[in-house]
Amino acid sequence: MLTVALFFIAPTGQLPAQARSEPKTPSKPTPEQQRLAAKLVSRFRAARKDPQQRAQVVEAAVEGGPACVSALYMAIAREMHPQISRYSMKFYQQAAAAAKKKIGSVRLEEVAKLRQTVLGLQNRPDFTKETIVKFGDPALKQLEEIFVVDRAQVLEESESLKTERRQLQEPGKLWERCAVYLYEQLPNDENKPKEPPSFEQYLRGEEALAAGLAAPMDRQTAQIIAANARLAQQLEPEEGRAVLALNLTRNLLGLNALAIDLKLCAAARDHSNDMQTLKFFAHESPVPGKATPWDRAKRFGASAAGENICLGVRDGKAVNMVWFHSPGHHKNMLAKHARVGMGQVGAYFTELFGH
């Protein structure tokens, strides 16, 4: 849950110099800061029925600095997760009912052409972010219009969804206060998003995922997504959302869904943790025995065929769109893989693919 700031991809071959540069991340919290953060999280949880006091705790965290805000942000996100999950399930049920009416006569030739527009981008000599935005985005949007029920329409037709959505706004404001503060700590360079994060945008993303789940999919894809949902209970919430967002995009493009590999998830999370702890951002790790993605996967009893990394993202759905618009990431996302592992630690995401 948060924002997009810095990202880098070099799935194969020589790593550019940029990959070896040290990112501008906050220094490691002192023991005193860690104690203060833990105290504020405890106060926040104890004030469950007192919105005003909770808002005061958030402001105290802001005064305490990034370590306090980051800890409180994670506490708020985890507390809200069950409520958002219930809302998403109800939204999916409404979307599924509407989807039955939406899909009538689909022009297969048009669908095939749109899919090829996206899948063929990586074969173009001018395969760049600009090319993806110019040709890939419109084609993907048209596929969504054909297969996915409009998010706003689903919401408009359900008073119960509107009511439940309003109930999410109060804790969402506290989430947003923390998210915006963390956004403001990012370096003011060309990689920093122009707009700060908002809870409204995050919630719209959740609704879009629920609507995407109601889109037509073959039996094997449905089975893999259902199995992933069970395995995702063992992951951090945003890790599961990231995998789901990836598979919904692949489904629109007629590609197979990728199964969650918990060993790859552990390897990915371990690399994200190393990057955050040791303050580096690269596919090459300085940790002995973890030099390459293949080494790291092997340490966890798995094998890898590609890796994406991202710094500055806390929203599992958003990270996929960052990767979709970056040629190297894009290639990995849509390649002929069978397994995927996702690992998030703070603002670091690592994604490992396997055959």
Side-chain angles (χ1 to χ4, degrees):
M1 296 181 180
L2 183 56
T3 179
V4 175
L6 307 173
F7 61 95
F8 162 77
I9 176 66
T12 58
Q14 179 66 28
L15 297 178
Q18 178 189 357
R20 301 186 184 92
S21 64
E22 184 174 301
K24 298 177 182 179
T25 53
S27 58
K28 185 176 181 179
T30 65
E32 183 179 354
Q33 290 172 325
Q34 291 176 331
R35 286 193 292 271
L36 177 58
K39 182 179 179 181
L40 289 171
V41 169
S42 179
R43 281 178 54 193
F44 184 86
R45 289 171 176 163
R48 182 181 292 271
K49 297 182 180 180
D50 190 337
Q52 186 175 358
Q53 187 176 347
R54 284 194 148 194
Q56 292 172 355
V57 173
V58 170
E59 294 309 313
V62 169
E63 292 180 11
C68 294
V69 177
S70 182
L72 195 57
Y73 172 88
M74 291 304 298
I76 295 172
R78 285 174 178 147
E79 183 179 287
M80 291 186 68
H81 177 62
Q83 189 177 0
I84 290 177
S85 294
R86 288 192 297 270
Y87 175 73
S88 296
M89 176 56 70
K90 187 175 293 186
F91 199 98
Y92 161 72
Q93 292 168 346
Q94 296 283 346
K100 293 179 181 178
K101 305 173 186 177
K102 179 180 176 67
I103 302 300
S105 56
V106 175
R107 294 176 55 189
L108 298 180
E109 298 83 0
E110 180 185 6
V111 170
K113 183 178 179 180
L114 290 169
R115 286 173 170 172
Q116 186 53 43
T117 296
V118 179
L119 297 176
L121 288 173
Q122 56 192 277
N123 299 321
R124 295 175 58 126
D126 60 340
F127 182 39
T128 62
K129 177 180 178 179
E130 290 70 27
T131 305
I132 295 171
V133 170
K134 184 176 181 179
F135 299 103
D137 281 1
L140 192 62
K141 184 177 180 180
Q142 283 183 264
L143 287 168
E144 289 175 344
E145 290 173 354
I146 291 171
F147 290 117
V148 182
V149 176
D150 181 65
R151 176 201 66 81
Q153 178 186 341
V154 174
L155 188 60
E156 181 60 32
E157 295 177 355
S158 174
E159 290 301 321
S160 64
L161 279 177
K162 293 179 187 176
T163 299
E164 197 159 339
R165 197 181 202 275
R166 285 193 292 269
Q167 294 170 350
L168 289 167
Q169 297 303 317
E170 189 171 286
K173 289 178 182 178
L174 302 180
W175 174 94
E176 184 174 300
R177 177 70 173 106
C178 294
V180 170
Y181 173 87
L182 293 172
Y183 164 85
E184 291 170 346
Q185 307 311 302
L186 297 170
N188 289 314
D189 56 26
E190 69 278 4
N191 294 304
K192 186 173 182 177
K194 294 181 180 179
E195 298 296 329
S198 75
F199 181 69
E200 173 63 23
Q201 196 62 33
Y202 181 86
L203 202 52
R204 289 186 181 191
E206 191 69 13
E207 292 163 349
L209 288 176
L213 269 173
M217 57 185 68
D218 61 43
R219 182 181 295 274
Q220 185 177 17
T221 295
Q223 289 174 342
I224 291 174
I225 288 179
N228 282 352
R230 293 189 290 271
L231 289 173
Q233 296 175 23
Q234 302 179 53
L235 307 180
E236 289 294 326
E238 295 307 316
E239 294 171 350
R241 288 179 84 243
V243 173
L244 176 58
L246 168 66
N247 277 332
L248 292 181
T249 297
R250 288 177 66 94
N251 181 53
L252 282 178
L253 296 172
L255 302 174
N256 64 292
L258 305 186
I260 289 176
D261 183 328
L262 292 177
K263 293 178 180 179
L264 280 181
C265 288
R269 196 177 303 114
D270 184 66
H271 186 53
S272 292
N273 183 64
D274 284 345
M275 288 193 291
Q276 175 175 264
T277 304
L278 301 177
K279 301 296 181 287
F280 74 96
F281 182 52
H283 294 280
E284 292 179 338
S285 173
V287 181
K290 301 182 184 179
T292 70
W294 339 121
D295 296 330
R296 297 191 287 273
K298 187 176 180 180
R299 283 173 63 92
F300 285 84
S303 60
E307 180 182 75
N308 289 344
I309 58 174
C310 188
L311 169 60
V313 176
R314 295 173 187 261
D315 180 334
K317 182 178 185 297
V319 72
N320 274 278
M321 292 316 296
V322 175
W323 285 334
F324 183 83
H325 290 111
S326 174
H329 292 96
H330 184 104
K331 247 181 177 178
N332 273 345
M333 288 175 63
L334 305 183
K336 294 181 180 180
H337 302 304
R339 298 174 292 117
V340 65
M342 194 74 66
Q344 179 203 16
V345 175
Y348 291 81
F349 262 100
T350 300
E351 182 177 43
L352 284 170
F353 298 94
H355 294 313

